[in-house]
Amino acid sequence: MKREISILGCGWLGMALASNLIQMGYMVKGSATSNNKFDKMKLSGVIPFIININKIEQNISDFLSSEVLIISISSKNTDDFRKLINQIEKSKIRKVLFISSSSVYSNTNQIVTENSPVNNSSLSEIELLFKSNLIFKTTIIRFGGLFGYDRKPGKFYSTDKKIDNPEGYVNLIHRDDCIRIIEQIIKNNIWQETLNACADTHPKRRDFYKKEAAKLGLNEPQFNENSLFEYKIVSNEKLKKMLSFSFKYSNLLDYKEE
């Protein structure tokens, strides 16, 4: 019998993840917020559901009848997540993988680890709701900025806008590495953990975005030289040790997509 996984949010990351998990032999249930992705999910082999977290009063018991729930949505409404957690508690789900962000760390001009303080934000509050739950186990992944394929860093900024903090450092991760990390967490039953996930290297914003613009043949970006110099460097050491993980796209100044 195939193991079942539910993915709340089959967007840019979730849909690619769903396809990979299906290839690995999982039965995948996926959700979107509108009907325009329904057929795409179905054609990809995903069992499709239409779910809006801000209308979570709807019955989603069929969607939650899986072993693992992966949450990959952008909502930061804590009340909606409380209602979602209430439904998870009543379901078969006992393992949750919550996709968070390294934005929970403030710019402290130093290296941050999973033990570093987080800022007072909706996202950090939502993380705590999941981590403190006693009914199911949750692992939090704090991804750096996502890039890859059609999401080109050279296009992250409009040509008429100067990039702030040119001497600060980037914390990014390629989608392929995101998917590999998620797969390893599920495969190795890594639960009740918080993990930072970003590439090994942290080039300066000036160097990185100049190179990315040149790759696309775009004009060299302009930088706001008067902006504040503030940064954080997100450590991925815990993740690499716990998962014995090596990044496919480790060097952000020298990566080439396959």
Side-chain angles (χ1 to χ4, degrees):
M1 185 175 178
K2 287 186 176 182
R3 296 175 65 187
E4 297 182 7
I5 293 178
S6 295
I7 302 177
L8 183 65
C10 280
W12 184 80
L13 173 60
M15 191 65 232
L17 172 63
S19 297
N20 275 52
L21 291 173
I22 289 169
Q23 291 176 16
M24 294 173 66
Y26 291 96
M27 179 181 293
V28 177
K29 301 173 183 178
S31 81
T33 57
S34 61
N35 288 316
N36 60 2
K37 289 186 179 179
F38 194 91
D39 290 338
K40 181 181 178 181
M41 287 192 289
K42 201 169 184 178
L43 288 171
S44 299
V46 178
I47 301 171
F49 291 80
I50 303 300
I51 297 173
N52 288 291
I53 191 173
N54 59 355
K55 299 176 182 177
I56 207 65
E57 291 82 5
Q58 67 189 112
N59 187 344
I60 60 171
S61 58
D62 287 345
F63 175 75
L64 294 177
S65 61
S66 296
E67 179 182 349
V68 175
L69 172 65
I70 300 170
I71 300 176
S72 180
I73 57 177
S74 59
S75 172
K76 304 294 185 296
N77 188 305
T78 53
D79 288 337
D80 288 344
F81 275 101
R82 286 190 181 93
K83 293 174 184 176
L84 172 63
I85 287 171
N86 183 257
Q87 293 229 24
I88 296 171
E89 290 174 341
K90 299 173 184 176
S91 74
K92 290 173 57 179
I93 299 289
R94 287 299 173 264
K95 298 171 184 176
V96 174
L97 190 57
F98 181 75
I99 306 300
S100 187
S101 165
S102 60
S103 65
V104 296
Y105 302 113
S106 299
N107 288 327
T108 56
N109 288 24
Q110 59 187 0
I111 295 172
V112 294
T113 72
E114 291 82 357
N115 293 323
S116 297
V118 296
N119 51 39
N120 183 17
S121 65
S122 297
L123 184 56
S124 60
E125 185 179 348
I126 292 164
E127 281 191 0
L128 186 59
L129 290 175
F130 281 96
K131 288 193 288 187
S132 61
N133 191 279
L134 301 178
I135 305 298
F136 52 83
K137 298 177 180 179
T138 298
T139 283
I140 308 287
I141 311 180
R142 292 171 177 164
F143 282 135
L146 305 182
F147 76 99
Y149 301 100
D150 59 323
R151 190 173 286 190
K152 306 288 187 186
K155 294 183 178 180
F156 281 3
Y157 294 90
S158 60
T159 55
D160 60 348
K161 181 181 178 181
K162 291 184 178 181
I163 298 175
D164 287 333
N165 196 12
E167 295 301 303
Y169 303 93
V170 300
N171 299 284
L172 297 176
I173 182 169
H174 193 281
R175 188 174 73 183
D176 287 355
D177 282 320
C178 295
I179 291 172
R180 291 172 60 234
I181 288 167
I182 293 169
E183 291 170 350
Q184 286 299 307
I185 288 171
I186 294 170
K187 178 182 177 181
N188 295 307
N189 275 311
I190 307 296
W191 304 106
Q192 303 290 72
E193 295 288 349
T194 299
L195 298 170
N196 293 337
C198 60
D200 289 321
T201 58
H202 304 271
K204 289 186 176 182
R205 292 161 64 85
R206 185 194 309 276
D207 299 334
F208 179 72
Y209 288 112
K210 282 174 67 175
K211 191 160 188 176
E212 289 301 306
K215 279 184 185 180
L216 301 176
L218 301 175
N219 292 332
E220 186 170 296
Q222 301 299 305
F223 299 93
N224 182 0
E225 306 295 347
N226 297 318
S227 57
L228 289 175
F229 174 56
E230 54 182 13
Y231 67 89
K232 56 180 175 265
I233 294 177
V234 180
S235 170
N236 63 11
E237 291 301 318
K238 179 181 176 181
L239 178 142
K240 289 195 294 185
K241 290 176 182 177
M242 186 166 284
L243 300 181
S244 298
F245 190 83
S246 296
F247 282 81
K248 179 179 178 182
Y249 296 100
S250 171
N251 189 337
L252 293 180
L253 279 181
D254 194 33
Y255 79 89
K256 293 180 180 178
E257 284 187 333
E258 294 180 359

